[in-house]
Amino acid sequence: MGLQQAWLKNEKMYVNYEAKNGRIFGMRRANSCYKLENEDVVLSKN
Amino acid sequence: MKMWYYLKINFLGYLCIFLLVGFSSCRKEIKKEMVKAEETSRVEFLPYFGDESFTPNWMTPESKEEKEFHKIPDFELTNQLGDTITQKTFDNKIYVVDFFFTSCPGICLKMTNNMTKIQEAFKDDPEVLILSHSVTPTIDSVSVLKAYADKYGVLANKWHLVTGDKEEIYTLGRDHYFVENDLGEPKSVDDFLHTENFLLIDKEKHIRGIYNGLNRSSIAQLTTDIKSLKKEI
């Protein structure tokens, strides 16, 4: 119950949601789809 | 001996019937519970979201606080028919937002399929619209968007696939809808970390929900929350 938060090592918030009345409100960190660089899909990070 | 045998058979028969009836009624209960869970938003008013942390803000619609809260600003984009789409298009509408690109090799297709479920659920409801922004607007021209719309059964009066000025789309995504999960990495206008989030926007242009566009139960919750929002105002 209440606010649930988690951070990455770089201090960026990773999880931030509130559990209330049996459901979750807010952000459960989504998985990224594809990173785009200049509209090109970047499939792997150098 | 024979009588014991018949009694045993009868007993086993009744036991089977009892278990079958009990099991099927249990299944009905479970089904009812599942439907119930999706029938309500479980709060009187959905929360408001005003920054990239997506911390829920609990306030009352029409309150002074609500009136001053973060809103999606005006924009000018072009849809799959070549029509100009602005905030005026969404006046007095509840709408669902996502960011996609037609050449997406992976999850966009699943997101589009799930958005199709939202379209289907509200296809006869003029109060509810869908707005999908291309994050590769140079590639996704009007004709490319039209072909994509035709392929996936996008209804032109319900679901706007939009292209336009790249900087405008990226600024909307990053600074107003907060859809990008940059995980602390600095980004330029040439970068975009595309995610599967869907956002629910109310008639006053406030963000009222964030949902995983790949998750079936999240989509069911989004459908329920749209219905709650319709009752709210």
Side-chain angles (χ1 to χ4, degrees):
Chain A
M1 287 295 285
L3 201 60
Q4 310 289 314
Q5 298 180 315
W7 288 264
L8 294 174
K9 279 182 181 172
N10 64 8
E11 298 182 3
K12 187 80 183 172
M13 189 177 273
Y14 187 68
V15 171
N16 185 36
Y17 63 83
E18 187 172 342
K20 188 173 182 174
N21 300 342
R23 67 166 282 197
I24 280 167
F25 297 91
M27 178 186 65
R28 271 183 296 179
R29 179 60 73 190
N31 297 315
S32 56
C33 174
Y34 290 97
K35 188 178 173 184
L36 293 173
E37 275 181 17
N38 204 17
E39 302 202 19
D40 291 325
V41 175
V42 179
L43 293 172
S44 61
K45 207 173 177 180
N46 294 329
Chain B
M1 269 313 268
K2 222 173 186 179
M3 199 173 85
W4 274 112
Y5 174 75
Y6 284 124
L7 275 174
K8 211 170 161 184
I9 293 288
N10 273 343
F11 174 74
L12 285 172
Y14 285 126
L15 188 66
C16 284
I17 291 166
F18 175 76
L19 286 174
L20 272 173
V21 169
F23 181 66
S24 64
S25 63
C26 274
R27 284 188 64 184
K28 272 180 199 163
E29 282 302 312
I30 291 165
K31 274 185 184 169
K32 268 184 197 168
E33 278 299 308
M34 283 168 72
V35 171
K36 257 186 190 172
E38 291 170 5
E39 275 175 356
T40 171
S41 293
R42 303 188 186 210
V43 284
E44 189 180 3
F45 302 117
L46 290 171
Y48 292 75
F49 299 94
D51 60 52
E52 63 174 9
S53 74
F54 277 93
T55 303
N57 289 269
W58 303 96
M59 56 183 97
T60 311
E62 306 273 305
S63 63
K64 186 174 178 279
E65 199 185 2
E66 183 254 23
K67 286 188 193 324
E68 290 167 1
F69 202 72
H70 172 74
K71 288 184 182 190
I72 306 302
D74 202 4
F75 51 81
E76 191 174 312
L77 300 164
T78 308
N79 76 358
Q80 69 269 29
L81 300 180
D83 296 334
T84 301
I85 300 297
T86 65
Q87 273 290 33
K88 199 107 186 105
T89 315
F90 300 92
D91 266 359
N92 214 27
K93 309 280 183 196
I94 292 163
Y95 64 104
V96 181
V97 166
D98 75 342
F99 287 75
F100 82 114
F101 54 111
T102 59
S103 55
C104 177
I107 65 169
C108 296
L109 298 180
K110 202 167 175 193
M111 286 168 67
T112 300
N113 287 335
N114 280 334
M115 199 63 101
T116 308
K117 287 176 189 159
I118 302 293
Q119 174 180 255
E120 186 59 30
F122 298 97
K123 108 180 139 182
D124 299 319
D125 185 343
E127 259 185 290
V128 180
L129 295 179
I130 302 169
L131 177 60
S132 293
H133 304 75
S134 168
V135 292
T136 58
T138 316
I139 299 166
D140 293 336
S141 60
V142 169
S143 59
V144 172
L145 290 180
K146 177 72 170 67
Y148 190 86
D150 291 344
K151 187 175 177 185
Y152 293 101
V154 170
L155 302 173
N157 62 342
K158 174 63 59 187
W159 187 351
H160 300 287
L161 308 176
V162 290
T163 185
D165 179 64
K166 186 174 171 180
E167 196 158 347
E168 184 177 9
I169 291 175
Y170 279 37
T171 303
L172 275 169
R174 283 186 181 136
D175 301 341
H176 301 291
Y177 291 115
F178 314 114
V179 288
E180 189 186 40
N181 298 320
D182 62 11
L183 305 180
E185 290 177 30
K187 292 285 179 302
S188 77
V189 72
D190 292 329
D191 304 327
F192 202 92
L193 195 62
H194 175 237
T195 71
E196 69 261 40
N197 290 334
F198 289 177
L199 296 183
L200 176 59
I201 314 297
D202 70 13
K203 291 180 180 178
E204 302 302 317
K205 321 299 179 204
H206 296 301
I207 302 171
R208 303 297 297 276
I210 177 167
Y211 307 85
N212 185 327
L214 300 177
N215 183 301
R216 210 163 45 171
S217 65
S218 198
I219 298 301
Q221 190 63 64
L222 169 57
T223 308
T224 302
D225 287 353
I226 293 171
K227 289 173 186 167
S228 296
L229 216 46
K230 279 169 62 67
K231 288 177 197 158
E232 194 177 275
I233 305 164

